[in-house]
Amino acid sequence: MRPTWAEVRLDCIADNYHKIKQFVGDKIEVMAVIKANGYGHGAKAIANYLEKHLPALDWFGVALAEEGILLRQAGVNTPILCLGGFWQEDQASECIKYNLIPTIYRFDMLTSLAKAARANSCQAKFHLKIDSGMGRLGILPSELNLFLNTLKNYPELILDGAMTHLASADEQDKNTFTENQIATFQNCLAEIKASGFNPKYQHISNSAGTCSWPQAYGNLVRAGGLLYGLTDTLGSNVPITVTPALSLHTRIILLKKVPAGASLGYGNSFFTKRESLIATLPIGYDDGLMRAYSNKGQVLVRGQFAPIVGRVSMDLTLIDVTDIDQATLGDKVTIIGKSENNAISAEQMAAVMGTISYELTCGLSARVPRIYLSSPSE
Ligand SMILES: *Cc1c(COP(=O)(O)O)cnc(C)c1O
């Protein structure tokens, strides 16, 4: 096997879930959001581990019905909300078959879900998504009255939840916008109740909302970033200490002494200024080590920082190890994570490239094996 791998500490994810749960208190349920293969960490492994180790696990959240189906096929029994709803009628049927609860944000989805419920001789639960200002999924508050009246025609449907999504819960200078979103949602909830519906769940908060807007919780929070220990989407208010679960490693597969003035990599973007010891790493942008890291990023070798030199290419990346004491063929190289007394976080790496940690962990490709651990590796 090529020596490039990601380590995922499942015990850290379980511990982070537990901390979120303690923070929000026992009246509020916590959804572990594991869409996009658990933000690249591995949804199946996480779901199986959390079910086994957390007696008080409430919900999983995925984006697509297909993601939910994979979890059910892996034996996952916890309630699953499909945050992205479903596309057409055949998928509505799959949701029922696999006991996945979809969000609904178009009128025609009511018809599809009701039809699928009738065909399966059952009732179907769903969560209604309201667009309170994100401008993405959700019906507009102005459509709510018509939506509720339409819903009354479908006795096979159960309005199990009402939800919305905050756009800028992490940005204090946009507090007025967030307060307006919360007020809009509260008004919608009042309208829902006045129409005779009583959804069991009301929810609004992602990780940033969980940290900064406790007055808006409803009775369920949806945590992604916090679960993985990623905190760069939370703004400055991080009242919960979470632990990053993922680290990324490779090894030196070639060491080469080159003279001053040598060109390294595609496009001659780097020339050595001195005689240098250059190491080749078997990782590139196909693995999710983004090309934007070229000539900017650093990695850790023997606990010391070494710069990326030249362009990151598809399968290979070069680093300068001239200043590393005793760099050796086969040395472990840490791209994200700790090495002796130093560390590089996904957040720091993302900041170098002007993005967020989620994009990095989601971008780790299937070519990178995930090694699942339930305790520290060293
Ligand atoms: C992805 C997602 C979340 C989780 O967001 P984090 O910032 O990772 O906590 C919550 N709610 C919805 C609707 C989402 O799509």
Side-chain angles (χ1 to χ4, degrees), residues 272-362:
T272 51
K273 293 187 185 60
R274 54 178 177 174
E275 183 182 74
S276 304
L277 188 61
I278 302 300
T280 304
L281 309 178
I283 185 169
Y285 59 76
D286 183 62
D287 301 296
L289 185 68
M290 290 151 84
R291 199 166 171 276
Y293 221 33
S294 301
N295 291 310
K296 285 190 185 161
Q298 300 195 86
V299 300
L300 289 165
V301 184
R302 296 178 177 259
Q304 301 156 67
F305 291 96
I308 289 182
V309 285
R311 295 239 174 99
V312 171
S313 52
M314 194 179 292
D315 315 299
L316 299 167
T317 296
L318 301 172
I319 58 172
D320 183 347
V321 293
T322 315
D323 297 328
I324 307 290
D325 197 24
Q326 294 193 320
T328 308
L329 183 71
D331 272 357
K332 180 172 167 182
V333 175
T334 295
I335 294 166
I336 298 171
K338 282 190 194 138
S339 172
E340 295 177 24
N341 294 323
N342 279 312
I344 298 172
S345 66
E347 289 92 329
Q348 287 170 328
M349 182 173 169
V352 169
M353 290 178 276
T355 184
I356 58 169
S357 59
Y358 296 7
E359 195 180 6
L360 292 188
T361 61
C362 286

Coordinates of all heavy atoms in Angstrom, one line a residue, residues 272-362:
T272 N 15.9 26.4 -6.0 CA 16.6 26.3 -4.8 C 17.6 27.5 -4.6 O 18.2 27.9 -5.6 CB 17.4 25.0 -4.6 OG1 18.2 24.8 -5.8 CG2 16.5 23.8 -4.5
K273 N 17.7 28.0 -3.4 CA 18.6 29.2 -3.2 C 20.0 28.7 -2.7 O 20.9 29.4 -2.6 CB 18.0 30.1 -2.2 CG 16.8 30.8 -2.8 CD 16.3 31.9 -1.8 CE 15.0 32.5 -2.4 NZ 13.9 31.4 -2.5
R274 N 20.0 27.4 -2.3 CA 21.2 26.8 -1.7 C 21.2 25.3 -2.1 O 20.2 24.8 -2.6 CB 21.2 27.0 -0.2 CG 19.9 26.4 0.3 CD 19.7 26.4 1.8 NE 18.4 25.9 2.2 CZ 17.9 25.6 3.4 NH1 18.7 25.9 4.4 NH2 16.7 25.1 3.6
E275 N 22.3 24.7 -1.8 CA 22.3 23.2 -2.0 C 21.2 22.7 -1.0 O 21.2 23.1 0.1 CB 23.6 22.6 -1.6 CG 23.7 21.1 -1.9 CD 25.0 20.5 -1.5 OE1 25.2 20.3 -0.2 OE2 25.8 20.1 -2.4
S276 N 20.3 21.8 -1.5 CA 19.2 21.5 -0.7 C 18.9 20.0 -0.7 O 19.3 19.3 -1.6 CB 17.9 22.2 -1.3 OG 18.0 23.5 -1.4
L277 N 18.3 19.6 0.4 CA 17.9 18.2 0.5 C 16.3 18.2 0.3 O 15.6 18.8 1.1 CB 18.2 17.6 1.9 CG 18.0 16.1 2.0 CD1 18.8 15.3 1.0 CD2 18.3 15.6 3.4
I278 N 15.9 17.6 -0.8 CA 14.5 17.6 -1.2 C 13.9 16.2 -1.1 O 14.5 15.3 -1.5 CB 14.4 18.1 -2.7 CG1 15.0 19.5 -2.9 CG2 12.9 18.1 -3.1 CD1 14.4 20.6 -2.0
A279 N 12.7 16.2 -0.5 CA 12.0 14.9 -0.3 C 10.8 14.9 -1.1 O 10.1 15.9 -1.3 CB 11.6 14.7 1.2
T280 N 10.5 13.7 -1.8 CA 9.3 13.5 -2.5 C 8.3 12.8 -1.7 O 8.6 11.8 -1.0 CB 9.6 12.7 -3.8 OG1 10.6 13.3 -4.5 CG2 8.4 12.5 -4.7
L281 N 7.0 13.3 -1.7 CA 5.9 12.7 -0.9 C 4.9 12.1 -1.9 O 4.5 12.8 -2.9 CB 5.3 13.8 0.0 CG 6.2 14.6 0.9 CD1 5.4 15.6 1.6 CD2 7.0 13.7 1.8
P282 N 4.4 10.9 -1.6 CA 3.4 10.3 -2.5 C 2.0 10.8 -2.2 O 1.1 10.0 -1.8 CB 3.6 8.8 -2.2 CG 4.0 8.8 -0.7 CD 4.8 10.0 -0.5
I283 N 1.8 12.1 -2.4 CA 0.4 12.6 -2.1 C 0.3 13.9 -3.0 O 1.3 14.6 -3.3 CB 0.2 13.0 -0.7 CG1 -1.2 13.5 -0.4 CG2 1.2 14.0 -0.2 CD1 -1.6 13.6 1.0
G284 N -0.9 14.1 -3.6 CA -1.0 15.2 -4.5 C -2.5 15.7 -4.5 O -3.3 15.3 -3.7
Y285 N -2.8 16.4 -5.5 CA -4.1 17.0 -5.5 C -5.2 16.0 -5.8 O -6.4 16.2 -5.4 CB -4.3 18.3 -6.4 CG -4.0 18.1 -7.9 CD1 -4.9 17.5 -8.7 CD2 -2.8 18.6 -8.4 CE1 -4.6 17.4 -10.1 CE2 -2.5 18.5 -9.7 CZ -3.4 17.9 -10.6 OH -3.1 17.8 -11.9
D286 N -4.9 14.9 -6.4 CA -6.0 13.9 -6.5 C -6.4 13.3 -5.1 O -7.5 12.8 -5.0 CB -5.5 12.7 -7.4 CG -6.7 11.7 -7.6 OD1 -7.7 12.1 -8.1 OD2 -6.6 10.6 -7.1
D287 N -5.5 13.4 -4.2 CA -5.8 13.0 -2.8 C -6.5 14.0 -2.0 O -7.1 13.7 -1.0 CB -4.5 12.6 -2.1 CG -3.7 11.5 -2.9 OD1 -4.3 10.4 -3.0 OD2 -2.6 11.8 -3.4
G288 N -6.5 15.2 -2.5 CA -7.1 16.3 -1.8 C -6.1 17.3 -1.2 O -6.5 18.2 -0.5
L289 N -4.8 17.1 -1.5 CA -3.8 18.1 -1.1 C -3.9 19.2 -2.2 O -3.3 19.0 -3.3 CB -2.5 17.5 -1.0 CG -1.4 18.4 -0.5 CD1 -1.6 18.8 0.9 CD2 0.0 17.8 -0.6
M290 N -4.5 20.3 -1.9 CA -4.9 21.2 -3.0 C -3.7 21.9 -3.6 O -2.7 22.2 -3.0 CB -5.9 22.2 -2.5 CG -7.2 21.6 -2.2 SD -8.1 22.4 -0.9 CE -8.8 23.8 -1.8
R291 N -3.8 22.1 -4.9 CA -2.7 22.7 -5.7 C -2.4 24.2 -5.2 O -1.3 24.7 -5.3 CB -3.1 22.8 -7.2 CG -2.0 23.0 -8.2 CD -2.5 22.6 -9.6 NE -1.6 23.0 -10.6 CZ -1.5 24.2 -11.1 NH1 -2.3 25.1 -10.7 NH2 -0.6 24.4 -12.0
A292 N -3.5 24.8 -4.6 CA -3.3 26.1 -4.0 C -2.3 26.1 -2.9 O -1.8 27.1 -2.4 CB -4.6 26.6 -3.5
Y293 N -1.9 24.9 -2.4 CA -0.9 24.8 -1.3 C 0.5 24.9 -1.9 O 1.5 25.0 -1.1 CB -1.1 23.5 -0.6 CG -1.0 23.5 0.9 CD1 -1.4 24.6 1.6 CD2 -0.5 22.4 1.6 CE1 -1.3 24.6 3.0 CE2 -0.4 22.3 2.9 CZ -0.8 23.4 3.7 OH -0.7 23.4 5.1
S294 N 0.7 24.9 -3.2 CA 2.0 24.9 -3.8 C 2.8 26.1 -3.3 O 2.3 27.3 -3.3 CB 1.9 25.1 -5.4 OG 1.1 24.0 -5.9
N295 N 4.0 25.9 -2.9 CA 5.0 27.0 -2.5 C 4.4 27.8 -1.3 O 4.9 28.9 -1.0 CB 5.3 27.9 -3.6 CG 6.2 27.3 -4.7 OD1 7.2 26.7 -4.4 ND2 5.7 27.4 -5.9
K296 N 3.4 27.3 -0.6 CA 2.8 28.0 0.5 C 2.7 27.2 1.8 O 2.8 27.7 2.9 CB 1.3 28.5 0.2 CG 1.2 29.6 -0.8 CD -0.2 30.0 -0.8 CE -0.4 31.1 -1.9 NZ -1.8 31.2 -2.2
G297 N 2.4 25.9 1.6 CA 2.1 25.1 2.7 C 3.4 24.6 3.5 O 4.5 24.7 3.0
Q298 N 3.1 24.1 4.7 CA 4.2 23.4 5.4 C 3.7 22.1 5.9 O 2.5 21.8 6.0 CB 4.5 24.2 6.7 CG 5.0 25.6 6.4 CD 5.6 26.2 7.6 OE1 6.8 26.0 7.9 NE2 4.8 26.9 8.4
V299 N 4.6 21.2 6.1 CA 4.3 19.9 6.7 C 5.2 19.7 7.9 O 6.1 20.5 8.2 CB 4.5 18.7 5.7 CG1 3.6 19.0 4.5 CG2 5.9 18.6 5.3
L300 N 5.0 18.6 8.7 CA 5.8 18.3 9.8 C 6.6 17.0 9.6 O 6.0 16.0 9.2 CB 5.0 18.1 11.1 CG 4.4 19.5 11.6 CD1 3.3 19.2 12.6 CD2 5.5 20.3 12.2
V301 N 7.9 17.1 9.8 CA 8.8 15.9 9.7 C 9.6 15.9 11.0 O 10.3 16.9 11.3 CB 9.8 16.0 8.5 CG1 10.6 14.7 8.4 CG2 9.0 16.3 7.2
R302 N 9.6 14.8 11.7 CA 10.3 14.7 13.0 C 10.0 15.9 13.9 O 10.9 16.4 14.6 CB 11.8 14.6 12.8 CG 12.2 13.3 12.0 CD 13.6 13.2 11.7 NE 13.9 11.9 11.1 CZ 14.4 10.8 11.7 NH1 14.8 10.9 13.0 NH2 14.6 9.7 11.0
G303 N 8.7 16.3 13.9 CA 8.3 17.4 14.8 C 8.8 18.8 14.3 O 8.6 19.8 15.0
Q304 N 9.4 18.9 13.1 CA 9.8 20.2 12.6 C 9.1 20.5 11.3 O 8.7 19.7 10.6 CB 11.3 20.1 12.4 CG 12.2 19.7 13.6 CD 13.5 19.1 13.2 OE1 14.4 19.8 12.6 NE2 13.7 17.8 13.5
F305 N 8.9 21.8 11.1 CA 8.2 22.3 9.9 C 9.1 22.3 8.7 O 10.3 22.7 8.8 CB 7.8 23.8 10.1 CG 6.7 23.9 11.2 CD1 6.9 24.2 12.5 CD2 5.3 23.7 10.8 CE1 5.9 24.3 13.4 CE2 4.3 23.8 11.7 CZ 4.6 24.1 13.0
A306 N 8.6 21.8 7.6 CA 9.3 21.8 6.3 C 8.4 22.3 5.3 O 7.2 22.0 5.2 CB 9.7 20.3 6.0
P307 N 8.9 23.3 4.4 CA 8.0 23.9 3.4 C 7.8 23.0 2.2 O 8.6 22.3 1.8 CB 8.8 25.2 3.1 CG 10.2 24.8 3.3 CD 10.2 23.8 4.5
I308 N 6.6 23.2 1.6 CA 6.3 22.6 0.3 C 7.0 23.5 -0.7 O 6.9 24.7 -0.7 CB 4.8 22.5 0.1 CG1 4.2 21.5 1.0 CG2 4.4 22.3 -1.4 CD1 2.7 21.3 0.9
V309 N 7.7 22.8 -1.6 CA 8.5 23.6 -2.6 C 8.0 23.2 -4.0 O 7.8 22.0 -4.3 CB 10.0 23.4 -2.5 CG1 10.5 24.2 -1.3 CG2 10.4 22.0 -2.3
G310 N 7.8 24.1 -4.9 CA 7.2 23.8 -6.2 C 5.8 23.5 -6.2 O 5.1 23.6 -5.1
R311 N 5.2 23.1 -7.3 CA 3.8 22.9 -7.4 C 3.4 21.5 -6.8 O 4.1 20.5 -7.1 CB 3.4 22.9 -8.9 CG 3.5 24.2 -9.6 CD 2.2 24.7 -10.2 NE 2.4 26.0 -10.7 CZ 2.6 26.3 -12.0 NH1 2.6 25.3 -12.9 NH2 2.8 27.5 -12.4
V312 N 2.3 21.5 -6.1 CA 1.7 20.2 -5.8 C 1.2 19.6 -7.1 O 0.5 20.3 -7.9 CB 0.5 20.5 -4.8 CG1 -0.3 19.2 -4.6 CG2 1.0 21.0 -3.5
S313 N 1.6 18.4 -7.4 CA 1.0 17.8 -8.6 C 0.0 16.7 -8.3 O -0.4 16.6 -7.1 CB 2.2 17.3 -9.5 OG 3.1 16.5 -8.9
M314 N -0.4 16.0 -9.3 CA -1.6 15.1 -9.0 C -1.3 14.0 -8.0 O -2.2 13.8 -7.1 CB -2.0 14.4 -10.4 CG -3.3 13.7 -10.3 SD -3.8 13.0 -11.9 CE -4.0 14.4 -13.0
D315 N -0.1 13.4 -8.0 CA 0.2 12.3 -7.1 C 1.4 12.6 -6.2 O 1.6 11.8 -5.3 CB 0.5 11.0 -8.0 CG -0.4 10.8 -9.1 OD1 -1.6 10.7 -8.8 OD2 0.0 10.9 -10.3
L316 N 2.1 13.6 -6.5 CA 3.4 13.9 -5.8 C 3.5 15.3 -5.4 O 3.0 16.2 -6.0 CB 4.5 13.5 -6.7 CG 4.6 12.0 -7.2 CD1 5.6 11.9 -8.4 CD2 5.0 11.1 -6.1
T317 N 4.3 15.5 -4.3 CA 4.6 16.8 -3.7 C 6.0 16.8 -3.2 O 6.5 15.8 -2.7 CB 3.6 17.1 -2.6 OG1 2.3 17.1 -3.2 CG2 3.9 18.4 -1.9
L318 N 6.7 17.9 -3.3 CA 8.1 18.0 -2.9 C 8.1 18.9 -1.6 O 7.4 19.9 -1.5 CB 8.9 18.7 -4.0 CG 9.0 17.9 -5.3 CD1 9.8 18.7 -6.4 CD2 9.7 16.5 -5.1
I319 N 9.0 18.6 -0.7 CA 9.3 19.4 0.5 C 10.8 19.6 0.6 O 11.5 18.7 0.2 CB 8.6 18.8 1.8 CG1 9.2 17.4 2.1 CG2 7.1 18.8 1.7 CD1 8.8 16.9 3.4
D320 N 11.1 20.7 1.3 CA 12.5 21.0 1.5 C 12.9 20.5 2.9 O 12.3 21.1 3.9 CB 12.8 22.5 1.3 CG 14.2 22.9 1.5 OD1 15.0 22.0 2.0 OD2 14.6 24.0 1.2
V321 N 13.7 19.5 3.1 CA 14.1 19.0 4.4 C 15.5 19.3 4.8 O 16.1 18.7 5.7 CB 13.8 17.5 4.5 CG1 12.3 17.2 4.4 CG2 14.5 16.7 3.4
T322 N 16.1 20.3 4.1 CA 17.5 20.6 4.3 C 17.7 20.9 5.8 O 18.8 20.5 6.4 CB 17.9 21.9 3.5 OG1 17.4 21.7 2.2 CG2 19.4 22.1 3.5
D323 N 16.8 21.6 6.4 CA 17.0 22.0 7.8 C 16.4 21.0 8.9 O 16.4 21.3 10.1 CB 16.3 23.4 8.1 CG 17.0 24.5 7.2 OD1 18.2 24.4 7.0 OD2 16.3 25.4 6.8
I324 N 15.9 19.9 8.4 CA 15.4 18.9 9.3 C 16.5 18.0 9.8 O 17.3 17.5 9.0 CB 14.3 18.0 8.6 CG1 13.2 18.8 8.0 CG2 13.8 17.0 9.6 CD1 12.3 19.6 8.9
D325 N 16.6 17.9 11.1 CA 17.7 17.1 11.6 C 17.4 15.6 11.3 O 16.4 15.0 11.7 CB 17.7 17.3 13.2 CG 18.9 16.9 13.8 OD1 20.0 16.8 13.1 OD2 18.9 16.6 15.0
Q326 N 18.4 15.0 10.5 CA 18.3 13.6 10.2 C 17.1 13.1 9.4 O 16.6 12.0 9.7 CB 18.4 12.8 11.5 CG 19.7 12.9 12.3 CD 19.9 11.9 13.4 OE1 18.9 11.6 14.1 NE2 21.0 11.4 13.5
A327 N 16.6 13.9 8.5 CA 15.5 13.4 7.6 C 16.0 12.2 6.9 O 17.1 12.1 6.4 CB 15.2 14.5 6.6
T328 N 15.1 11.2 6.9 CA 15.5 9.9 6.4 C 14.4 9.3 5.5 O 13.2 9.6 5.7 CB 15.7 8.9 7.6 OG1 16.5 9.5 8.6 CG2 16.2 7.5 7.2
L329 N 14.8 8.5 4.5 CA 13.8 7.8 3.7 C 12.9 7.1 4.6 O 13.3 6.4 5.5 CB 14.6 6.9 2.7 CG 13.7 6.1 1.7 CD1 13.2 7.1 0.6 CD2 14.5 5.0 1.1
G330 N 11.5 7.2 4.3 CA 10.6 6.5 5.1 C 10.0 7.2 6.3 O 9.1 6.8 6.9
D331 N 10.6 8.4 6.5 CA 10.1 9.2 7.7 C 8.6 9.5 7.5 O 8.2 9.9 6.4 CB 10.9 10.6 7.7 CG 12.1 10.5 8.6 OD1 12.4 9.4 9.1 OD2 12.8 11.5 8.7
K332 N 7.9 9.5 8.6 CA 6.5 9.9 8.6 C 6.4 11.4 8.4 O 7.1 12.1 9.1 CB 5.8 9.4 9.9 CG 4.4 9.8 10.0 CD 3.8 9.1 11.3 CE 2.4 9.6 11.6 NZ 1.9 9.0 12.8
V333 N 5.5 11.8 7.6 CA 5.3 13.2 7.3 C 3.8 13.6 7.7 O 2.9 12.9 7.2 CB 5.6 13.6 5.8 CG1 5.3 15.0 5.5 CG2 7.0 13.3 5.5
T334 N 3.6 14.6 8.5 CA 2.3 14.9 8.9 C 1.9 16.2 8.2 O 2.5 17.2 8.3 CB 2.2 15.1 10.5 OG1 2.5 13.8 11.0 CG2 0.9 15.6 10.9
I335 N 0.7 16.1 7.5 CA 0.2 17.2 6.8 C -0.8 17.9 7.6 O -0.9 19.2 7.7 CB -0.3 16.8 5.4 CG1 0.9 16.2 4.6 CG2 -1.0 17.9 4.7 CD1 0.6 15.5 3.4
I336 N -1.7 17.1 8.3 CA -2.6 17.7 9.3 C -2.4 16.9 10.5 O -2.5 15.6 10.5 CB -4.1 17.6 8.8 CG1 -4.4 18.3 7.5 CG2 -5.1 18.0 9.9 CD1 -5.8 18.1 6.9
G337 N -2.3 17.5 11.6 CA -2.1 16.8 12.9 C -0.9 17.1 13.7 O -0.2 18.1 13.3
K338 N -0.6 16.3 14.7 CA 0.5 16.6 15.6 C 1.7 15.7 15.2 O 1.6 14.6 14.8 CB 0.1 16.1 17.0 CG -0.8 17.1 17.7 CD -0.9 16.7 19.2 CE -2.0 17.5 19.8 NZ -2.9 16.7 20.7
S339 N 2.9 16.3 15.4 CA 4.1 15.6 15.3 C 5.1 16.1 16.4 O 5.5 17.3 16.4 CB 4.8 15.8 13.9 OG 6.0 15.3 13.8
E340 N 5.4 15.2 17.3 CA 6.1 15.6 18.6 C 5.5 16.9 19.2 O 4.3 16.9 19.5 CB 7.6 15.8 18.2 CG 8.2 14.4 17.8 CD 9.6 14.4 17.4 OE1 10.4 15.3 17.8 OE2 10.0 13.5 16.7
N341 N 6.2 18.0 19.2 CA 5.7 19.2 19.9 C 5.0 20.2 19.0 O 4.7 21.3 19.5 CB 6.8 19.9 20.8 CG 7.2 19.0 21.9 OD1 6.5 18.2 22.5 ND2 8.5 19.0 22.1
N342 N 4.9 19.9 17.8 CA 4.3 20.8 16.9 C 3.0 20.2 16.2 O 2.8 19.0 16.3 CB 5.2 21.2 15.8 CG 6.2 22.3 16.3 OD1 5.7 23.3 16.9 ND2 7.5 22.1 16.0
A343 N 2.2 21.1 15.6 CA 0.9 20.6 15.0 C 0.5 21.6 13.9 O 0.9 22.7 13.9 CB -0.2 20.5 16.1
I344 N -0.2 21.0 12.9 CA -0.8 21.8 11.9 C -2.3 21.4 11.9 O -2.6 20.2 11.7 CB -0.1 21.6 10.5 CG1 1.3 22.0 10.5 CG2 -0.9 22.3 9.4 CD1 2.1 21.5 9.3
S345 N -3.1 22.4 12.1 CA -4.6 22.0 12.1 C -5.1 22.2 10.7 O -4.6 22.9 9.9 CB -5.3 22.9 13.1 OG -5.3 24.3 12.6
A346 N -6.3 21.5 10.5 CA -7.0 21.7 9.2 C -7.4 23.1 9.0 O -7.4 23.6 7.9 CB -8.2 20.7 9.2
E347 N -7.7 23.8 10.1 CA -8.1 25.2 10.1 C -6.9 26.1 9.6 O -7.1 26.9 8.7 CB -8.5 25.7 11.4 CG -9.9 25.1 11.9 CD -9.7 23.9 12.7 OE1 -8.8 23.1 12.5 OE2 -10.6 23.6 13.6
Q348 N -5.7 25.8 10.1 CA -4.5 26.6 9.7 C -4.2 26.3 8.2 O -3.9 27.2 7.5 CB -3.3 26.2 10.5 CG -3.4 26.7 12.0 CD -2.3 26.1 12.8 OE1 -1.9 24.9 12.6 NE2 -1.8 26.8 13.8
M349 N -4.3 25.1 7.8 CA -4.0 24.7 6.5 C -5.0 25.4 5.5 O -4.6 25.9 4.5 CB -4.1 23.2 6.3 CG -3.8 22.7 5.0 SD -3.7 20.9 5.0 CE -3.7 20.5 3.2
A350 N -6.3 25.4 5.9 CA -7.3 26.0 5.1 C -7.1 27.5 5.0 O -7.2 28.1 3.9 CB -8.7 25.7 5.7
A351 N -6.7 28.1 6.1 CA -6.5 29.6 6.1 C -5.4 30.0 5.1 O -5.5 31.0 4.4 CB -6.1 30.0 7.5
V352 N -4.4 29.1 5.0 CA -3.3 29.4 4.0 C -3.9 29.5 2.6 O -3.4 30.3 1.8 CB -2.2 28.4 4.1 CG1 -1.2 28.5 2.9 CG2 -1.5 28.4 5.4
M353 N -4.9 28.7 2.3 CA -5.4 28.7 1.0 C -6.7 29.5 0.8 O -7.4 29.5 -0.2 CB -5.7 27.3 0.6 CG -4.4 26.5 0.4 SD -4.8 24.8 0.0 CE -5.0 24.1 1.6
G354 N -7.1 30.3 1.9 CA -8.3 31.1 1.8 C -9.6 30.3 1.8 O -10.5 30.7 1.2
T355 N -9.6 29.1 2.4 CA -10.8 28.4 2.4 C -11.1 27.9 3.9 O -10.5 28.4 4.8 CB -10.8 27.2 1.5 OG1 -12.0 26.5 1.5 CG2 -9.7 26.2 1.8
I356 N -12.1 27.0 4.1 CA -12.4 26.5 5.4 C -12.0 25.1 5.6 O -11.9 24.3 4.6 CB -13.9 26.7 5.8 CG1 -14.8 26.0 4.8 CG2 -14.2 28.2 5.8 CD1 -16.3 26.0 5.2
S357 N -11.8 24.6 6.8 CA -11.4 23.3 7.0 C -12.3 22.2 6.4 O -11.9 21.2 5.9 CB -11.3 23.0 8.5 OG -12.6 23.3 9.2
Y358 N -13.6 22.5 6.4 CA -14.6 21.5 5.8 C -14.2 21.2 4.4 O -14.3 20.0 3.9 CB -16.0 22.1 5.7 CG -16.7 22.5 7.0 CD1 -16.1 22.4 8.2 CD2 -18.1 22.8 7.0 CE1 -16.8 22.8 9.4 CE2 -18.7 23.2 8.1 CZ -18.1 23.1 9.3 OH -18.8 23.5 10.5
E359 N -13.8 22.2 3.6 CA -13.5 21.9 2.2 C -12.3 21.0 2.1 O -12.2 20.2 1.2 CB -13.2 23.2 1.4 CG -13.2 23.0 -0.1 CD -13.0 24.3 -0.9 OE1 -12.7 25.3 -0.3 OE2 -13.1 24.2 -2.1
L360 N -11.3 21.1 3.0 CA -10.2 20.2 3.0 C -10.6 18.7 3.4 O -10.2 17.8 2.7 CB -9.1 20.6 4.0 CG -8.4 21.9 3.8 CD1 -7.3 22.1 4.8 CD2 -7.9 21.9 2.4
T361 N -11.3 18.6 4.5 CA -11.6 17.2 4.9 C -12.6 16.6 3.9 O -12.5 15.4 3.6 CB -12.2 17.2 6.3 OG1 -13.4 17.9 6.4 CG2 -11.2 17.7 7.3
C362 N -13.6 17.3 3.4 CA -14.5 16.8 2.4 C -13.7 16.4 1.1 O -14.1 15.5 0.4 CB -15.6 17.8 2.0 SG -16.8 18.0 3.3

